[in-house]
């Protein structure tokens, strides 16, 4: 492998000059130490034997078994998000990414879903480190939960490591953060030599990884698209990718998010041109909602604001944090008075102001959603405001985005979104770009990653169209394992549990299917609580039963139904007492089942019924 990285001593600060040529401020994360290219020892010339030696018998064929490396996806397959992959050789494991996914509609009260780390805990193998491809939440969002279990070193470029450091501070954690730059080669443990290669995506400092193992080279694309004119001026390192392919790749893992989209994904410059036109003819206040992680787009918005004599106010905690970090690391250069506090926005006229905010996906508690609901403390939507949603709705968010758009339009705002203008482009490779990546890397084996099953299946079919043997293409599920050597590969189904772990507030994994089922039932038909005091010795009801209803019916308008249900429950309790039933659980079950049948017969509803008995 071509290996000429600049050597930086471990623990030193990031160099003052970034790889982009911008002056970077002092970073809190460390630079990783790199390996030197070893010089080959001079070859010794053979010397003539002084005397004739007897020929030795031929040695037996003791060929060493082929080296094998194992790939275990712990998230990111058959789903969008929660990306995490373990690469295992003998007793060592490295991890690529550790992301989260957002809850489905039926996960009531759940904040986020993270990968299951139980395989890493129970494998009995050494977890060496975490490699980060880029800083999106579906790739770094679960890092604090991993660090709580394994305080391992983290390797990534400056911007994603800065985002991770902020997350760790929120959790009261500290980890060893090692800065790597595109082109660096470094060792992790005894068996993994990693090369970081520049890739383009919708966030700064994105990398793909070429990982040398004793079994062969494993290549992971990370999330990417092929942008020939990136806004930061740093295109993909095609030359190095081609050399990696020439040197030989045993396995390629490539993202599949946009495999169903024909053609090419447009460049981020298209969005910049559209925004330029919107800024030039705007006479009113401009409010732009976009992903907080899209630093390139935020930089373009700030540049346009300065060109048009506008000040910029930033709203939303995640947006404020990212803008501060991007300025600290030198990714955004801003004039001294351009960015103002959101509370000072009222001091400027509409034509002097741009507001950058979170909420492009219609999240209920986001800054834009609060503006639309007239609940934002500093910004009130008024007629004439030009509101731009610089994103496309993530699948499943279409209704929430539409609700926010409708509320904004009702208040007189002019709303521009992706259906009207080219104000967003994807960060993921479409079919033609995926074909180019396959043509450059030319792996022996291929495993599609990062997508739902339809994406993985379509990507596998694309690889076969390009000449890959069907037996060399593997579609896995989370928790499966792919074992590969230079001459063979096979899949093992369900080698570990890899279902998502639900996070609810401070609770991690304490909400499971049973709790979710109860929450679903409560949301659908409500709750009935029945309370009665029972004299067990006299076998009589001392008080009650009383019925309390929540989310079932409005009691004041359904007193007859509630009274009838109470009398029916009283009959069931008396029947149990007459039969000398002394077990509380048996009596509760009888009341629950009897009352459930009665209420369903009267209302065709099945509320959650909770009997409570007090012994007197």
């Amino acid at each position: 492998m071509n290996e000429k990285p600049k050597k930086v001593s471990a623990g030193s600060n990031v160099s003052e000059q970034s790889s982009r040529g911008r002056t970077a401020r002092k970073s809190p994360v460390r630079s990783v130490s790199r390996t030197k290219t070893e010089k080959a020892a001079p070859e010794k010339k053979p010397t003539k034997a002084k005397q004739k030696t007897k020929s030795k018998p031929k040695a037996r064929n003791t060929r060493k078994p082929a080296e094998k490396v194992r790939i275990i996806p712990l998230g990111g397959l058959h789903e969008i998000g929660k990306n995490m992959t373990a690469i295992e050789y003998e007793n060592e494991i490295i991890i690529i990414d550790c992301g989260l996914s957002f809850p489905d509609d039926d996960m009531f009260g759940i904040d986020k879903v993270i990968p299951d780390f139980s395989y890493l805990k129970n494998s009995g193998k050494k977890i060496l480190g975490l490699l980060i491809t880029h800083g999106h939440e579906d790739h770094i969002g679960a890092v604090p939960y991993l660090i709580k279990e394994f305080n391992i070193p983290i390797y990534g470029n400056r911007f994603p490591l800065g985002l991770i450091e902020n997350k760790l501070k929120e959790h009261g954690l500290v980890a060893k953060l090692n800065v790597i730059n595109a082109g660096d080669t470094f060792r992790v443990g005894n068996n993994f030599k990693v090369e970081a290669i520049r890739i383009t995506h919708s966030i700064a400092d994105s990398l793909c990884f070429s990982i040398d193992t004793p079994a062969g080279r494993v290549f992971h694309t990370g999330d990417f698209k092929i942008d020939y004119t990136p806004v930061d001026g740093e295109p993909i390192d095609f030359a190095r990718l081609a050399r990696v392919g020439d040197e030989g790749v045993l396995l390629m893992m490539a993202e599949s998010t946009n495999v169903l989209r024909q053609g090419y994904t447009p460049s981020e410059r298209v969005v910049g041109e559209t925004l330029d036109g919107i800024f030039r003819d705007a006479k009113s206040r401009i409010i732009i909602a976009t992903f907080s992680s899209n630093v390139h787009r935020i930089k373009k918005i700030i540049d346009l604001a300065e060109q048009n004599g506008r000040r910029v106010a930033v709203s939303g905690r995640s947006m404020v944090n990212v803008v501060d970090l991007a300025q600290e690391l030198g990714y955004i250069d801003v004039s001294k008075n351009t960015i103002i506090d959101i509370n000072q926005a009222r001091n400027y006229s509409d034509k002097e102001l741009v507001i950058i905010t979170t909420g492009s996906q219609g999240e209920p508690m986001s800054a834009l959603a609060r503006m639309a609901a007239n609940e934002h403390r500093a910004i009130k939507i008024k007629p004439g405001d030009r509101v731009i949603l610089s994103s496309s709705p993530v699948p499943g968010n279409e209704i929430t985005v539409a609700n926010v758009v409708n509320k904004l339009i009702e208040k007189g705002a002019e709303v521009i979104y992706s259906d009207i203008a080219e104000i967003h482009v994807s960060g993921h490779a479409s079919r033609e770009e995926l074909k180019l990546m396959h043509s450059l890397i030319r792996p022996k084996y291929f495993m599609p990653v990062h997508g739902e099953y339809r994406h993985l299946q379509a990507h596998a079919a694309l690889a076969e169209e390009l000449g890959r043997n069907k037996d060399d293409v593997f579609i896995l599920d989370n928790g499966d394992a792919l074992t590969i050597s230079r001459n063979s590969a096979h899949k093992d189904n369900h080698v570990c549990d890899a279902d998502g772990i639900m996070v609810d507030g401070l609770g991690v994994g304490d909400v499971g299917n049973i709790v979710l089922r109860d929450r679903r039932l409560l949301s659908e038909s409500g709750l009935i609580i029945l309370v009665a005091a029972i004299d067990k010795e006299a076998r009589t009801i001392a008080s009650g039963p009383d019925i309390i209803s929540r989310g079932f019916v409005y009691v004041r308008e359904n007193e007859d139904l509630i009274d009838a249900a109470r009398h029916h429950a009283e009959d069931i309790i008396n029947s149990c007492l007459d039969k000398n039933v002394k077990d509380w659980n048996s009596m509760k079950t009888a009341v629950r089942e009897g009352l459930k049948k009665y209420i369903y017969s009267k209302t065709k509803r099945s509320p959650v019924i909770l009997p409570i008995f007090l012994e007197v």
Side-chain angles (χ1 to χ4, degrees):
M1 178 181 290
N2 184 18
E3 187 180 337
K4 296 181 180 178
K6 181 180 178 183
K7 184 174 181 181
V8 183
S9 59
S12 63
N13 290 319
V14 179
S15 59
E16 291 297 316
Q17 187 69 18
S18 73
S19 60
R20 288 167 173 72
R22 292 190 295 266
T23 301
R25 301 182 187 180
K26 192 172 182 181
S27 171
V29 294
R30 297 181 172 185
S31 295
V32 65
S33 60
R34 283 92 182 176
T35 59
K36 288 185 177 181
T37 305
E38 296 179 1
K39 293 183 178 180
E43 185 179 354
K44 293 183 179 180
K45 294 183 179 180
T47 57
K48 292 183 179 180
K50 293 184 177 179
Q51 58 185 15
K52 199 171 183 179
T53 58
K54 294 181 180 180
S55 59
K56 294 182 180 180
K58 291 184 178 179
R60 291 181 181 179
N61 185 5
T62 57
R63 181 178 296 176
K64 187 179 178 181
E67 305 284 359
K68 295 180 179 180
V69 64
R70 195 154 81 144
I71 313 297
I72 305 102
L74 300 176
L77 302 188
H78 297 212
E79 63 183 346
I80 299 295
K82 198 160 60 67
N83 299 294
M84 184 177 186
T85 304
I87 301 178
E88 175 183 309
Y89 179 81
E90 292 184 346
N91 68 332
E92 295 185 338
I93 294 176
I94 61 172
I95 303 166
I96 299 178
D97 291 333
C98 185
L100 58 76
S101 61
F102 294 102
D104 298 331
D105 291 338
D106 58 351
M107 294 182 180
F108 301 98
I110 300 301
D111 299 322
K112 63 193 76 168
V113 183
I114 64 174
D116 187 342
F117 306 140
S118 58
Y119 175 77
L120 300 175
K121 295 179 188 176
N122 302 328
S123 66
K125 301 186 179 181
K126 187 175 181 182
I127 316 301
L128 300 175
L130 172 63
L131 309 179
I132 300 296
T133 60
H134 65 282
H136 280 147
E137 284 293 294
D138 57 334
H139 292 258
I140 67 169
V143 170
Y145 302 95
L146 180 69
I147 295 302
K148 287 177 184 178
E149 302 287 346
F150 312 95
N151 195 3
I152 56 176
I154 304 173
Y155 302 86
N157 220 326
R158 292 185 311 134
F159 187 64
L161 288 191
L163 295 173
I164 288 172
E165 187 180 42
N166 288 340
K167 291 180 179 296
L168 294 176
K169 285 179 180 177
E170 291 177 3
H171 287 257
L173 299 171
V174 176
K176 185 178 180 182
L177 304 177
N178 299 292
V179 173
I180 56 175
N181 297 309
D184 288 347
T185 301
F186 56 98
R187 282 199 171 274
V188 182
N190 297 320
N191 295 302
F192 301 102
K193 185 162 73 169
V194 183
E195 180 181 3
I197 303 173
R198 184 170 60 250
I199 206 82
T200 49
H201 186 39
S202 57
I203 187 172
D205 280 356
S206 296
L207 299 171
C208 58
F209 291 114
S210 174
I211 304 168
D212 280 354
T213 75
R217 177 174 290 169
V218 175
F219 181 82
H220 195 297
T221 66
D223 283 357
F224 78 100
K225 72 175 182 180
I226 294 179
D227 192 341
Y228 297 102
T229 57
V231 292
D232 60 4
E234 294 192 358
I236 292 176
D237 191 347
F238 288 107
R240 182 57 195 145
L241 291 178
R243 288 197 300 273
V244 167
D246 290 340
E247 292 164 6
V249 172
L250 183 64
L251 171 71
M252 178 171 78
M253 292 177 278
E255 74 132 318
S256 311
T257 309
N258 267 2
V259 67
L260 298 175
R261 185 176 295 180
Q262 300 292 332
Y264 298 86
T265 301
S267 170
E268 180 68 23
R269 288 189 183 274
V270 173
V271 177
E273 293 168 2
T274 303
L275 290 174
D276 190 14
I278 292 173
F279 268 75
R280 274 190 279 106
D281 68 358
K283 307 299 181 187
S284 59
R285 186 169 58 173
I286 298 175
I287 302 172
I288 303 181
T290 189
F291 294 113
S292 60
S293 59
N294 198 334
V295 175
H296 295 148
R297 193 167 300 171
I298 295 170
K299 181 180 185 304
K300 182 64 177 179
I301 293 167
I302 294 174
D303 290 346
L304 289 171
E306 290 183 333
Q307 293 170 19
N308 289 272
R310 291 176 180 258
R311 302 295 176 90
V312 177
V314 182
S315 182
R317 186 170 64 93
S318 62
M319 186 69 74
V320 171
N321 290 340
V322 168
V323 170
D324 288 345
L325 177 65
Q327 290 184 80
E328 178 186 338
L329 297 179
Y331 292 90
I332 295 178
D333 299 320
V334 188
S335 300
K336 184 177 180 181
N337 298 319
T338 297
I339 295 182
I340 61 172
D341 187 272
I342 190 69
N343 295 313
Q344 297 176 356
R346 62 175 64 93
N347 299 331
Y348 296 85
S349 65
D350 291 351
K351 64 180 180 180
E352 294 179 299
L353 194 60
V354 174
I355 299 166
I356 305 175
T357 181
T358 57
S360 61
Q361 295 301 306
E363 302 94 324
M365 298 305 296
S366 66
L368 184 65
R370 285 185 280 121
M371 292 177 197
N374 213 26
E375 296 174 353
H376 196 283
R377 59 183 175 82
I379 303 298
K380 305 296 180 184
I381 300 296
K382 52 189 175 181
D385 283 343
R386 178 168 285 189
V387 182
I388 304 166
L389 272 68
S390 186
S391 68
S392 295
V394 173
N397 288 353
E398 294 88 351
I399 294 176
T400 55
V401 172
N403 289 338
V404 170
V405 170
N406 287 327
K407 289 179 182 178
L408 292 168
I409 293 175
E410 286 174 5
K411 291 177 172 55
E414 175 193 2
V415 183
I416 302 173
Y417 48 97
S418 56
D419 290 348
I420 297 175
E422 288 187 299
I423 51 171
H424 178 69
V425 293
S426 174
H428 300 278
S430 298
R431 286 182 70 85
E432 296 304 316
E433 296 155 272
L434 292 172
K435 289 179 181 178
L436 178 55
M437 183 62 75
H438 279 264
S439 300
L440 288 169
I441 302 301
R442 306 185 304 282
K444 182 179 180 67
Y445 303 112
F446 172 61
M447 174 182 158
V449 295
H450 301 181
E452 298 171 0
Y453 183 78
R454 59 195 175 108
H455 301 123
L456 304 182
Q457 193 277 333
H459 202 172
L462 176 65
E464 293 170 29
E465 289 176 18
L466 295 172
R468 187 69 48 225
N469 190 314
K470 186 175 183 179
D471 294 335
D472 295 336
V473 177
F474 297 89
I475 297 178
L476 273 67
D477 198 354
N478 297 329
D480 293 344
L482 179 64
T483 303
I484 54 175
S485 69
R486 296 189 186 276
N487 302 314
S488 66
H490 69 273
K491 181 177 80 168
D492 296 309
N493 294 322
H494 195 70
V495 299
C496 65
D497 292 329
D499 293 332
I501 300 298
M502 288 172 278
V503 178
D504 185 0
L506 297 177
V508 179
D510 58 349
V511 175
N513 291 330
I514 295 175
V515 174
L516 284 181
R517 182 200 64 192
D518 289 344
R519 290 183 179 183
R520 177 177 58 80
L521 291 173
L522 288 169
S523 73
E524 291 175 350
S525 300
L527 170 69
I528 288 178
I529 300 174
L530 182 138
V531 183
I534 298 175
D535 187 336
K536 268 195 173 182
E537 295 297 328
R539 294 205 298 273
T540 60
I541 299 175
S543 176
D546 295 321
I547 287 180
I548 302 169
S549 170
R550 289 293 182 270
F552 170 54
V553 293
Y554 186 48
V555 175
R556 290 185 181 179
E557 295 180 356
N558 292 273
E559 291 181 354
D560 293 341
L561 173 64
I562 298 298
D563 285 341
R566 185 174 61 80
H567 289 305
H568 188 73
E570 184 178 6
D571 292 340
I572 297 172
I573 295 172
N574 284 326
S575 176
C576 291
L577 294 173
D578 291 342
K579 295 176 183 177
N580 201 25
V581 176
K582 296 183 178 180
D583 179 45
W584 285 130
N585 290 329
S586 298
M587 194 179 298
K588 288 179 180 180
T589 300
V591 171
R592 188 183 300 112
E593 294 299 324
L595 197 57
K596 179 180 179 181
K597 291 179 181 178
Y598 178 79
I599 289 176
Y600 186 80
S601 69
K602 298 296 183 182
T603 65
K604 299 302 182 213
R605 302 179 191 174
S606 298
V608 175
I609 299 172
L610 182 62
I612 299 175
F613 296 149
L614 306 174
E615 185 176 358
V616 295

